[in-house]
Amino acid sequence: MVGYGIQSMLKDGHKHLSGLDEAVLKNIGAGRELSAITRTSLGPNGMNKMVINHLDKLFITNDAATIVNELEVQHPAAKLLVLAARAQQEEIGDGANLTISFAGELLEKAEELIRMGLHPSEIIIGYTKAINKTLEILDDLVEKGSENMDVRNREEVVLRMKSAVASKQFGQEDVLCPLVADACIQVCPQNPGNFNVDNVRVAKLVGGGLHNSSVVRGMVLKNDAVGSIKKVEKVKVAVFAGGVDTSATETKGTVLIHSAEQLENYAKTEEAKVEELIKSVADSGAKVIVSGAAVGDMALHFCERYKLMVLKVSSKFELRRFCRTTGAIALLKLSRPNVDELGYADYVSVEEIGGARVTVVKNEEGGNSVATVVLRGSTDSILDDLERAVDDGVNTYKSMCRDSRIIPGAAATEIELAKRLKEFSLKETGLDQYAIAKFGESFEMVPRTLSENAGLGAMEIISSLYAEHAAGNVKVGIDLEKGACEDASIMKIWDLYVTKSFALKYSADAVCTVLRVDQIIMAKPAGGPRPPQQGDI
Amino acid sequence: VDPHAEPERGGDEQVGGPGHEHRRRQGGLQDVLKTNLGPKGTIKMLVGGAGDIKLTKDGNTLLKEMQIQNPTAIMIARTAVAQDDTSGDGTTSTVLFIGELMKMSERCIEEGTHPRFLVDGFEVAKKATLEFLETFKTPVVIGDQPDREILKMVARTTLRTKLYEGLADQLTDIVVNAVLCIRQSDQPIDLFMVEIMHMRHKFDVDTRLIEGLVLDHGSRHPDMKRRAENCYILTANVSLEYEKSEINAGFFYSNAEQREKMVTAERRQVDERVQKIIELKNKVCAGTDKNFVVINQKGIDPPSLDLLARAGIIALRRAKRRNMERLVLACGGEAINSVEGMTEDCLGWAGLVYEHVLGEEKYTFVENVKNPHSCTILIKGPNDHTIAQIKDAVRDGLRSVKNTVEDEAVVLGAGAFEMAARKHLIDNVKKTVKGRAQLGVGAFADALLVIPKTLAENSGLDTQDVIVSLENEHDRGLVVGLNHNTGEPVDPEMEGIYDNYSVKRQIVNSGPIIASQLLLVDEVIRAGRNMRKPT
């Protein structure tokens, strides 16, 4: 006889969890544990994690988005937090760690509330009220005058970018930020709102050190030129998407030959044809031919003869970027390009950087084109991590192009939020005031973690922060180096308003979703090879 | 007889009697769905075989995803699915109602009543309830200008049971406007004309209605415009790519020049077609700031795209078939199947066409159309499960509005109908029935109460208390429902809580049928397991 209840109706292997203890508290536990992992990586003094994913690829990073992505979280509730972090990463490109850590803290507080006897639905109401209030307060905390910024002013850009990059690569932000800022400003279009992250490329080259890194106005292709001409300056560029070779019909063609003479002639006509084409390209003024597909031997021969540099770019997207860099229009077939279809590059040259041959394409004048940050570092994993920091920086730039408002960093904002939410909760009459108070308390997690990660006494610092804020110094945050309180505007630590507001909103959303669930029905995990077991979550 | 056939007899004969087994199973299903009902219902989390997450409050979705195996449960689940197919809502109520009917019958059966009498009683009660529903319903006049308020109320009632309040209220406007947009006075409403598109972007509250169309792909040429205003839209189903001939053909040539000729000849046909489109563009757009957009159901190959891009035309290829229909409805014009004899009349018009890129995905928006008969609900959400949840809710919301327009009637919600119907059954119908079938009518009447009871339970109220106070109000001749916030009786008309007429009718209709069938089954015989498969 089959058992009673829902279990009897489902297929074998289904799991059904319901009720407060089985579902809600378990979910909370899972979320909390996930956030415990990422929490130690929060802030500039955060620790790195060594993650080995199922493909045995090694990651050394403190970028929460990467960590949780590679963790392959199985638990459904923890997965909700991961999804929130991912959404944050896609939308803003930074602040994923704050999303998870804060959500974990909120869940922990929710558990306390449940143990106190509150119903999850009351907590949800309280949390929802609190997040709305938080966003209001956040609006209020925006630094005056920051909504109008010149996104082409390097100083201002660096100022806003620094905290994002510093949290990934502490100590190197003074080198990285100007690089990223330079690259971003170069490619920033007329209307900064249209800034495209894709226009800032990263080329990673092993060898040297971070101090050898540089910004190239243009592109760095990671391959050699095809022909023997390796360096040209101030040239016109012709781009062919379809490859540089003899043309072919779609339908299969057969060469009809009756005699040996014809065979000879055929080869000659073929040659003549190619020569004619290449000559026409050369006549148009182009000095560089870029091919999106194979370059035929014969075509190459004629290119050499007409002193054309030949580059091969096999990726379609790379080719498009190339077109953007030089302003060329890609032609489908090998033919004589019009003047307006030609692009222009100041400098195309094959260079040897750290043992790798790369082709550098520079275009100093093309305002709205592509810039590349050439990163140097001793190992691949360091380069990967640097790249993530650069990506975060670029994304921050994108966000600030859309909304340049800033708020004090270094946990100053969090303490102020905690303080004001506490005041707000006292004015509420219902049961949700407990939830609002706890929501406010959760903000203490940020200064606590920051100081814990920096090896400072958390309680002491939080209490002195509160004292400062009570005295009306709303911009006072932690100075991690001195281990004391300091005004964020003096330390020049600012966070972007959008990053914070999205992160808080995503985590509150995720937490409310976790709390709303009271039953979980899990299907039997699908078959197939199991990934190697890792620290179960 | 198959020696492996195992009779599954219903539990302990002395206590349960025939059919006991079903009631037990049914109880399980009811338990799962019970907490879903109403605006205060809780969310279930379903985890699929691949670890994918789905969150739902919708009974139908839940039943679909649960992979039920038990035969009795499957029967009930199927009824619920049928309920969803016909009316789009009320699945949870159906399951609960069937469950409650079984529970009530069990009580009678334990006292020695034969199921047959109960079934007879159900039949009578069902008929009476349906008649009562006809008198109880609130007629709605749907003319050329339907009363938006009442449609909104119905949509809100449905949506609030699927999503949290703030979002539900926002979607209410969206679904009502969407249905009114596609409604054409003399034709039945075709909900397929509302495109539901989703983007993983921003927050769930950024979901909006677009009068026009959103296509989930973009132009495939880097030099085409990303944004154009005042556009002519050419909806076409013409192949603009070179197609190989059906027969096995080959070219013969003996020198490169001949081959070049072949290459151009081969493309000539396609190029001519493209040229025709460009000519039309030049004719209608010349000298104005108007733009031209081609949306093609078939392919457009790179050379053709290139030609079009040079002529300043935005071209989209491989549009979905259903979008072709919608495009014509949204923008006007007609879908052409041949480039011969195109005129300006074939073209549609849109005020704004632009492309939006989200990571790898491209979306094309066709907006600001004139007099649209098709529209798009653009669902946004930060993650897939939020989007799926909204999608299910929007579907149900659309159906509820459509049902109202078609039924031309609504029923008071918040448990008011159930209370009134019960009173009618007990006071008027039960007395007219002779014999033991009365018990069936009574059971039916009591089973109706499951809706207000569960509503109260999910809101954390005292069930008995609520029922008694509601009954008192009804005895005084007032039609009231349950206010799930306070637990007090409330006038659903004042609060704007209306249910679909067809949903209620379907529940009352199908519930007793399945319950009767299950009651009359006394033995389940399952075929033996397949011997070839190791068990």
Side-chain angles (χ1 to χ4, degrees), chain A residues 6 9-10 79-80 90-91 247 250-252 254 256 270 329 341 506 513 518-521 523 526, chain B residues 32 42-43 45 47 49 51 55 66 69 200-202 223 242 251 253 259-260 266 310 382 385:
Chain A
I6 178 173
M9 292 180 311
L10 300 171
K79 218 166 168 182
L80 287 176
E90 279 171 17
E91 203 69 35
S247 51
E250 297 251 3
T251 313
K252 208 163 58 187
T254 314
L256 204 62
E270 190 92 331
I329 294 173
E341 286 163 349
Y506 276 131
T513 316
D518 82 324
Q519 279 190 20
I520 309 175
I521 298 169
Chain B
V32 181
T42 49
I43 298 183
M45 179 189 262
V47 184
L55 292 169
M66 261 194 343
Q69 278 210 315
R200 219 171 75 194
H201 186 45
K202 290 193 176 165
D223 295 329
Y242 175 72
F251 284 146
Y253 45 81
R259 196 195 53 206
E260 288 296 310
E266 193 180 60
R310 267 158 220 267
H385 58 259

CSV table of all heavy atoms in Angstrom, one decimal, chain A residues 6 9-10 79-80 90-91 247 250-252 254 256 270 329 341 506 513 518-521 523 526, chain B residues 32 42-43 45 47 49 51 55 66 69 200-202 223 242 251 253 259-260 266 310 382 385:
chain,number,residue,atom,x,y,z
A,6,ILE,N,0.3,13.4,-0.2
A,6,ILE,CA,0.7,13.8,-1.5
A,6,ILE,C,1.8,12.9,-2.0
A,6,ILE,O,1.9,12.6,-3.2
A,6,ILE,CB,1.2,15.3,-1.5
A,6,ILE,CG1,1.7,15.6,-2.9
A,6,ILE,CG2,2.3,15.5,-0.5
A,6,ILE,CD1,2.0,17.1,-3.0
A,9,MET,N,1.0,10.3,-4.5
A,9,MET,CA,0.5,10.6,-5.9
A,9,MET,C,1.6,10.9,-6.8
A,9,MET,O,1.4,10.9,-8.0
A,9,MET,CB,-0.4,11.8,-5.8
A,9,MET,CG,-1.7,11.6,-5.1
A,9,MET,SD,-2.6,13.1,-5.1
A,9,MET,CE,-1.5,14.3,-4.5
A,10,LEU,N,2.8,11.1,-6.3
A,10,LEU,CA,3.9,11.6,-7.2
A,10,LEU,C,4.8,10.4,-7.6
A,10,LEU,O,4.7,9.3,-6.9
A,10,LEU,CB,4.7,12.6,-6.5
A,10,LEU,CG,3.9,13.9,-6.1
A,10,LEU,CD1,4.7,14.7,-5.2
A,10,LEU,CD2,3.4,14.6,-7.3
A,79,LYS,N,19.3,29.2,-4.9
A,79,LYS,CA,19.4,29.5,-6.3
A,79,LYS,C,18.7,30.9,-6.6
A,79,LYS,O,19.1,31.6,-7.4
A,79,LYS,CB,18.7,28.4,-7.1
A,79,LYS,CG,19.4,28.2,-8.4
A,79,LYS,CD,19.0,26.9,-9.0
A,79,LYS,CE,19.4,26.8,-10.4
A,79,LYS,NZ,19.0,25.5,-11.0
A,80,LEU,N,17.6,31.1,-5.8
A,80,LEU,CA,16.9,32.4,-6.0
A,80,LEU,C,17.9,33.5,-5.7
A,80,LEU,O,17.8,34.6,-6.4
A,80,LEU,CB,15.7,32.5,-5.0
A,80,LEU,CG,14.5,31.6,-5.4
A,80,LEU,CD1,13.5,31.7,-4.3
A,80,LEU,CD2,13.9,32.0,-6.7
A,90,GLU,N,24.0,41.4,-14.6
A,90,GLU,CA,23.6,41.7,-16.0
A,90,GLU,C,23.1,43.2,-16.1
A,90,GLU,O,23.4,43.8,-17.1
A,90,GLU,CB,22.5,40.8,-16.4
A,90,GLU,CG,23.0,39.4,-16.9
A,90,GLU,CD,21.9,38.4,-17.1
A,90,GLU,OE1,20.8,38.9,-17.3
A,90,GLU,OE2,22.3,37.2,-17.2
A,91,GLU,N,22.4,43.6,-15.1
A,91,GLU,CA,21.8,44.9,-15.2
A,91,GLU,C,22.9,46.0,-14.9
A,91,GLU,O,23.0,47.0,-15.7
A,91,GLU,CB,20.7,45.1,-14.2
A,91,GLU,CG,19.7,46.1,-14.5
A,91,GLU,CD,18.8,45.7,-15.7
A,91,GLU,OE1,18.6,44.5,-15.9
A,91,GLU,OE2,18.5,46.6,-16.5
A,247,SER,N,35.7,33.8,-56.6
A,247,SER,CA,34.3,33.7,-56.3
A,247,SER,C,33.8,32.3,-56.7
A,247,SER,O,34.3,31.7,-57.6
A,247,SER,CB,33.5,34.8,-56.9
A,247,SER,OG,33.8,34.9,-58.3
A,250,GLU,N,26.8,29.3,-56.0
A,250,GLU,CA,26.1,28.5,-54.9
A,250,GLU,C,25.9,27.1,-55.4
A,250,GLU,O,26.1,26.1,-54.6
A,250,GLU,CB,24.8,29.1,-54.6
A,250,GLU,CG,24.9,30.5,-54.1
A,250,GLU,CD,24.6,30.6,-52.6
A,250,GLU,OE1,24.3,29.5,-52.0
A,250,GLU,OE2,24.6,31.7,-52.0
A,251,THR,N,25.5,26.9,-56.7
A,251,THR,CA,25.3,25.6,-57.2
A,251,THR,C,26.7,25.1,-57.6
A,251,THR,O,27.6,25.8,-57.9
A,251,THR,CB,24.5,25.7,-58.5
A,251,THR,OG1,23.4,26.5,-58.2
A,251,THR,CG2,24.0,24.4,-58.9
A,252,LYS,N,26.8,23.8,-57.5
A,252,LYS,CA,28.1,23.2,-57.8
A,252,LYS,C,28.5,23.4,-59.2
A,252,LYS,O,27.7,23.3,-60.1
A,252,LYS,CB,28.0,21.7,-57.5
A,252,LYS,CG,29.3,21.1,-57.1
A,252,LYS,CD,29.1,19.7,-56.5
A,252,LYS,CE,28.4,18.8,-57.4
A,252,LYS,NZ,28.0,17.5,-56.8
A,254,THR,N,31.3,22.9,-62.5
A,254,THR,CA,32.2,22.0,-63.0
A,254,THR,C,33.0,22.7,-64.1
A,254,THR,O,32.4,23.4,-64.9
A,254,THR,CB,31.5,20.7,-63.6
A,254,THR,OG1,30.6,20.3,-62.7
A,254,THR,CG2,32.5,19.6,-63.9
A,256,LEU,N,34.7,22.7,-67.5
A,256,LEU,CA,34.7,21.9,-68.7
A,256,LEU,C,35.9,22.1,-69.5
A,256,LEU,O,36.2,23.2,-70.0
A,256,LEU,CB,33.4,22.3,-69.5
A,256,LEU,CG,32.8,21.3,-70.4
A,256,LEU,CD1,32.4,20.1,-69.6
A,256,LEU,CD2,31.7,21.9,-71.2
A,270,GLU,N,41.8,32.4,-64.5
A,270,GLU,CA,41.6,32.5,-63.1
A,270,GLU,C,42.5,33.5,-62.4
A,270,GLU,O,42.1,34.3,-61.7
A,270,GLU,CB,41.8,31.1,-62.5
A,270,GLU,CG,41.4,30.9,-61.1
A,270,GLU,CD,39.9,30.4,-61.0
A,270,GLU,OE1,39.1,30.7,-61.9
A,270,GLU,OE2,39.6,29.7,-60.0
A,329,ILE,N,32.9,49.8,-44.1
A,329,ILE,CA,31.7,49.0,-44.3
A,329,ILE,C,32.1,47.7,-44.9
A,329,ILE,O,32.9,47.7,-45.9
A,329,ILE,CB,30.7,49.7,-45.2
A,329,ILE,CG1,30.2,51.0,-44.5
A,329,ILE,CG2,29.5,48.8,-45.6
A,329,ILE,CD1,29.4,51.9,-45.4
A,341,GLU,N,33.2,53.2,-48.6
A,341,GLU,CA,33.2,51.9,-47.9
A,341,GLU,C,34.5,51.6,-47.3
A,341,GLU,O,34.7,50.6,-46.6
A,341,GLU,CB,32.8,50.9,-48.9
A,341,GLU,CG,31.3,50.9,-49.3
A,341,GLU,CD,31.0,50.1,-50.5
A,341,GLU,OE1,32.0,49.7,-51.3
A,341,GLU,OE2,29.8,49.9,-50.8
A,506,TYR,N,16.9,44.1,-5.6
A,506,TYR,CA,17.0,42.7,-6.0
A,506,TYR,C,17.0,41.8,-4.8
A,506,TYR,O,16.4,40.8,-4.7
A,506,TYR,CB,18.2,42.5,-6.9
A,506,TYR,CG,18.0,42.8,-8.3
A,506,TYR,CD1,18.9,43.6,-9.0
A,506,TYR,CD2,16.9,42.3,-9.0
A,506,TYR,CE1,18.7,43.9,-10.4
A,506,TYR,CE2,16.6,42.6,-10.3
A,506,TYR,CZ,17.5,43.4,-11.0
A,506,TYR,OH,17.3,43.7,-12.3
A,513,THR,N,10.5,36.6,-2.0
A,513,THR,CA,10.1,35.4,-2.7
A,513,THR,C,10.4,34.1,-1.9
A,513,THR,O,9.6,33.2,-1.8
A,513,THR,CB,10.9,35.3,-4.1
A,513,THR,OG1,10.9,36.6,-4.7
A,513,THR,CG2,10.2,34.3,-5.0
A,518,ASP,N,5.9,28.3,0.7
A,518,ASP,CA,5.7,27.5,1.9
A,518,ASP,C,5.7,26.0,1.5
A,518,ASP,O,5.6,25.1,2.4
A,518,ASP,CB,4.4,27.8,2.6
A,518,ASP,CG,3.2,27.2,2.0
A,518,ASP,OD1,3.2,27.1,0.8
A,518,ASP,OD2,2.3,26.8,2.8
A,519,GLN,N,5.8,25.7,0.3
A,519,GLN,CA,5.9,24.3,-0.1
A,519,GLN,C,6.9,24.1,-1.2
A,519,GLN,O,6.9,25.0,-2.1
A,519,GLN,CB,4.5,23.8,-0.6
A,519,GLN,CG,3.6,23.4,0.5
A,519,GLN,CD,2.4,22.7,0.0
A,519,GLN,OE1,2.4,22.2,-1.1
A,519,GLN,NE2,1.3,22.7,0.8
A,520,ILE,N,7.6,23.1,-1.2
A,520,ILE,CA,8.5,22.8,-2.3
A,520,ILE,C,8.3,21.5,-2.8
A,520,ILE,O,8.1,20.5,-2.0
A,520,ILE,CB,10.0,22.9,-1.9
A,520,ILE,CG1,10.3,24.2,-1.1
A,520,ILE,CG2,10.9,22.8,-3.0
A,520,ILE,CD1,11.7,24.3,-0.5
A,521,ILE,N,8.1,21.3,-4.1
A,521,ILE,CA,7.9,20.0,-4.7
A,521,ILE,C,9.1,19.8,-5.6
A,521,ILE,O,9.2,20.6,-6.6
A,521,ILE,CB,6.6,19.9,-5.4
A,521,ILE,CG1,5.4,20.1,-4.4
A,521,ILE,CG2,6.5,18.6,-6.1
A,521,ILE,CD1,4.1,20.3,-5.1
A,523,ALA,N,11.2,17.5,-8.3
A,523,ALA,CA,11.2,16.3,-9.1
A,523,ALA,C,12.5,15.6,-8.9
A,523,ALA,O,13.5,16.1,-8.4
A,523,ALA,CB,11.0,16.7,-10.6
A,526,ALA,N,17.2,14.9,-12.9
A,526,ALA,CA,17.3,14.2,-14.2
A,526,ALA,C,18.6,13.3,-14.2
A,526,ALA,O,19.5,13.5,-13.5
A,526,ALA,CB,17.3,15.2,-15.3
B,32,VAL,N,-2.7,19.9,-1.0
B,32,VAL,CA,-1.6,20.6,-1.7
B,32,VAL,C,-2.2,21.9,-2.2
B,32,VAL,O,-1.6,23.0,-2.1
B,32,VAL,CB,-1.1,19.8,-2.8
B,32,VAL,CG1,0.0,20.6,-3.5
B,32,VAL,CG2,-0.5,18.5,-2.3
B,42,THR,N,-0.5,30.9,-0.5
B,42,THR,CA,0.9,31.0,-0.5
B,42,THR,C,1.5,30.4,-1.8
B,42,THR,O,0.8,29.8,-2.5
B,42,THR,CB,1.5,30.1,0.7
B,42,THR,OG1,0.8,28.9,0.7
B,42,THR,CG2,1.3,30.8,2.0
B,43,ILE,N,2.7,30.6,-2.0
B,43,ILE,CA,3.4,30.2,-3.2
B,43,ILE,C,4.0,28.8,-3.1
B,43,ILE,O,4.5,28.5,-2.0
B,43,ILE,CB,4.5,31.2,-3.6
B,43,ILE,CG1,3.8,32.6,-3.8
B,43,ILE,CG2,5.2,30.8,-4.8
B,43,ILE,CD1,4.8,33.6,-4.3
B,45,MET,N,6.9,26.2,-4.6
B,45,MET,CA,8.1,26.2,-5.4
B,45,MET,C,8.2,24.8,-6.0
B,45,MET,O,8.2,23.8,-5.3
B,45,MET,CB,9.3,26.5,-4.5
B,45,MET,CG,10.6,26.5,-5.2
B,45,MET,SD,11.9,26.6,-4.1
B,45,MET,CE,12.3,28.4,-4.2
B,47,VAL,N,10.5,22.3,-8.2
B,47,VAL,CA,11.9,22.2,-8.7
B,47,VAL,C,11.9,21.0,-9.8
B,47,VAL,O,11.5,19.9,-9.4
B,47,VAL,CB,12.9,21.9,-7.6
B,47,VAL,CG1,14.3,21.8,-8.1
B,47,VAL,CG2,12.7,22.9,-6.5
B,49,GLY,N,13.4,18.4,-12.9
B,49,GLY,CA,14.4,17.4,-12.9
B,49,GLY,C,15.8,18.0,-13.1
B,49,GLY,O,16.8,17.5,-12.6
B,51,GLY,N,16.7,20.9,-12.0
B,51,GLY,CA,17.0,21.9,-11.0
B,51,GLY,C,16.5,23.2,-11.3
B,51,GLY,O,16.8,24.2,-10.6
B,55,LEU,N,8.0,29.0,-9.6
B,55,LEU,CA,7.2,29.5,-8.5
B,55,LEU,C,5.7,29.7,-9.0
B,55,LEU,O,5.5,30.3,-10.0
B,55,LEU,CB,7.7,30.8,-7.9
B,55,LEU,CG,9.0,30.7,-7.3
B,55,LEU,CD1,9.6,32.1,-7.0
B,55,LEU,CD2,9.0,29.9,-6.0
B,66,MET,N,3.3,18.8,-11.5
B,66,MET,CA,3.5,17.9,-10.4
B,66,MET,C,3.7,16.5,-10.8
B,66,MET,O,4.2,15.7,-10.0
B,66,MET,CB,2.3,18.0,-9.4
B,66,MET,CG,2.7,18.9,-8.3
B,66,MET,SD,1.6,18.8,-6.8
B,66,MET,CE,0.2,18.0,-7.3
B,69,GLN,N,0.8,10.6,-10.5
B,69,GLN,CA,0.8,9.2,-11.0
B,69,GLN,C,-0.5,8.5,-10.6
B,69,GLN,O,-0.9,7.6,-11.3
B,69,GLN,CB,2.0,8.5,-10.6
B,69,GLN,CG,3.2,8.8,-11.5
B,69,GLN,CD,4.1,7.7,-11.5
B,69,GLN,OE1,4.4,7.1,-10.5
B,69,GLN,NE2,4.6,7.3,-12.7
B,200,ARG,N,14.3,39.5,-20.0
B,200,ARG,CA,14.9,39.4,-18.7
B,200,ARG,C,15.7,40.7,-18.4
B,200,ARG,O,16.8,40.8,-18.7
B,200,ARG,CB,15.8,38.2,-18.6
B,200,ARG,CG,15.6,37.5,-17.3
B,200,ARG,CD,16.3,36.2,-17.2
B,200,ARG,NE,17.7,36.4,-17.1
B,200,ARG,CZ,18.6,35.5,-17.3
B,200,ARG,NH1,18.2,34.3,-17.6
B,200,ARG,NH2,19.9,35.7,-17.1
B,201,HIS,N,15.0,41.5,-17.7
B,201,HIS,CA,15.5,42.9,-17.6
B,201,HIS,C,14.8,43.6,-16.5
B,201,HIS,O,13.6,43.4,-16.4
B,201,HIS,CB,15.2,43.5,-19.0
B,201,HIS,CG,15.7,44.9,-19.2
B,201,HIS,ND1,17.0,45.2,-18.9
B,201,HIS,CD2,15.2,46.0,-19.7
B,201,HIS,CE1,17.2,46.5,-19.2
B,201,HIS,NE2,16.1,47.0,-19.7
B,202,LYS,N,15.5,44.4,-15.8
B,202,LYS,CA,14.8,45.3,-14.8
B,202,LYS,C,13.9,44.5,-13.8
B,202,LYS,O,14.2,43.4,-13.4
B,202,LYS,CB,14.1,46.4,-15.5
B,202,LYS,CG,15.0,47.4,-16.1
B,202,LYS,CD,14.3,48.6,-16.5
B,202,LYS,CE,15.2,49.6,-17.0
B,202,LYS,NZ,14.6,50.7,-17.7
B,223,ASP,N,24.9,47.6,-40.6
B,223,ASP,CA,24.7,49.0,-41.0
B,223,ASP,C,23.3,49.4,-41.1
B,223,ASP,O,23.0,50.5,-41.6
B,223,ASP,CB,25.4,49.2,-42.4
B,223,ASP,CG,26.9,48.9,-42.3
B,223,ASP,OD1,27.4,49.2,-41.2
B,223,ASP,OD2,27.5,48.4,-43.3
B,242,TYR,N,18.9,33.0,-52.1
B,242,TYR,CA,19.1,32.1,-53.2
B,242,TYR,C,18.7,30.7,-52.7
B,242,TYR,O,19.1,30.2,-51.7
B,242,TYR,CB,20.6,32.1,-53.6
B,242,TYR,CG,20.8,31.1,-54.7
B,242,TYR,CD1,20.3,31.3,-56.0
B,242,TYR,CD2,21.5,29.9,-54.4
B,242,TYR,CE1,20.5,30.3,-56.9
B,242,TYR,CE2,21.7,29.0,-55.4
B,242,TYR,CZ,21.2,29.2,-56.6
B,242,TYR,OH,21.4,28.2,-57.6
B,251,PHE,N,26.8,23.7,-63.0
B,251,PHE,CA,27.3,24.7,-64.0
B,251,PHE,C,28.5,24.1,-64.7
B,251,PHE,O,29.3,23.5,-64.1
B,251,PHE,CB,27.7,26.0,-63.4
B,251,PHE,CG,26.5,26.8,-62.9
B,251,PHE,CD1,26.5,27.6,-61.8
B,251,PHE,CD2,25.3,26.8,-63.7
B,251,PHE,CE1,25.5,28.4,-61.4
B,251,PHE,CE2,24.2,27.6,-63.3
B,251,PHE,CZ,24.3,28.4,-62.2
B,253,TYR,N,31.7,25.6,-66.9
B,253,TYR,CA,32.3,26.7,-67.5
B,253,TYR,C,33.8,26.4,-67.8
B,253,TYR,O,34.3,25.4,-67.3
B,253,TYR,CB,32.3,27.9,-66.6
B,253,TYR,CG,32.6,27.6,-65.1
B,253,TYR,CD1,33.9,27.5,-64.7
B,253,TYR,CD2,31.6,27.4,-64.2
B,253,TYR,CE1,34.2,27.2,-63.4
B,253,TYR,CE2,31.8,27.1,-62.9
B,253,TYR,CZ,33.2,27.0,-62.5
B,253,TYR,OH,33.4,26.8,-61.2
B,259,ARG,N,32.6,31.9,-65.4
B,259,ARG,CA,32.1,31.6,-64.1
B,259,ARG,C,31.6,32.9,-63.4
B,259,ARG,O,30.6,32.8,-62.7
B,259,ARG,CB,33.3,31.1,-63.3
B,259,ARG,CG,32.8,30.4,-62.0
B,259,ARG,CD,33.9,30.1,-61.1
B,259,ARG,NE,34.6,31.4,-60.8
B,259,ARG,CZ,35.9,31.4,-60.5
B,259,ARG,NH1,36.6,30.3,-60.3
B,259,ARG,NH2,36.5,32.6,-60.2
B,260,GLU,N,32.3,34.0,-63.6
B,260,GLU,CA,31.8,35.2,-63.0
B,260,GLU,C,30.4,35.5,-63.4
B,260,GLU,O,29.5,35.9,-62.7
B,260,GLU,CB,32.7,36.4,-63.4
B,260,GLU,CG,34.0,36.4,-62.7
B,260,GLU,CD,33.9,36.5,-61.2
B,260,GLU,OE1,33.2,37.5,-60.8
B,260,GLU,OE2,34.5,35.7,-60.5
B,266,GLU,N,23.1,33.7,-61.3
B,266,GLU,CA,22.5,32.9,-60.3
B,266,GLU,C,21.8,33.8,-59.3
B,266,GLU,O,20.7,33.5,-58.8
B,266,GLU,CB,23.7,32.2,-59.5
B,266,GLU,CG,23.3,31.1,-58.6
B,266,GLU,CD,24.6,30.6,-58.0
B,266,GLU,OE1,25.3,31.3,-57.4
B,266,GLU,OE2,24.8,29.4,-58.2
B,310,ARG,N,21.8,49.4,-48.0
B,310,ARG,CA,22.3,50.5,-48.8
B,310,ARG,C,21.2,51.4,-49.2
B,310,ARG,O,21.3,52.6,-49.3
B,310,ARG,CB,23.0,50.0,-50.0
B,310,ARG,CG,24.4,49.8,-49.9
B,310,ARG,CD,24.9,48.8,-50.9
B,310,ARG,NE,25.9,48.0,-50.2
B,310,ARG,CZ,27.2,48.3,-50.3
B,310,ARG,NH1,27.6,49.3,-50.9
B,310,ARG,NH2,28.0,47.5,-49.7
B,382,PRO,N,13.4,40.2,-13.3
B,382,PRO,CA,14.8,39.9,-13.2
B,382,PRO,C,15.2,38.5,-13.4
B,382,PRO,O,16.4,38.3,-13.7
B,382,PRO,CB,15.1,40.4,-11.7
B,382,PRO,CG,13.7,40.3,-11.0
B,382,PRO,CD,12.7,40.5,-12.0
B,385,HIS,N,11.9,32.7,-13.3
B,385,HIS,CA,10.7,32.2,-12.6
B,385,HIS,C,9.7,33.4,-12.4
B,385,HIS,O,8.5,33.1,-12.5
B,385,HIS,CB,11.0,31.5,-11.3
B,385,HIS,CG,11.8,32.3,-10.4
B,385,HIS,ND1,13.1,32.2,-10.2
B,385,HIS,CD2,11.4,33.3,-9.5
B,385,HIS,CE1,13.6,33.0,-9.3
B,385,HIS,NE2,12.5,33.7,-8.8
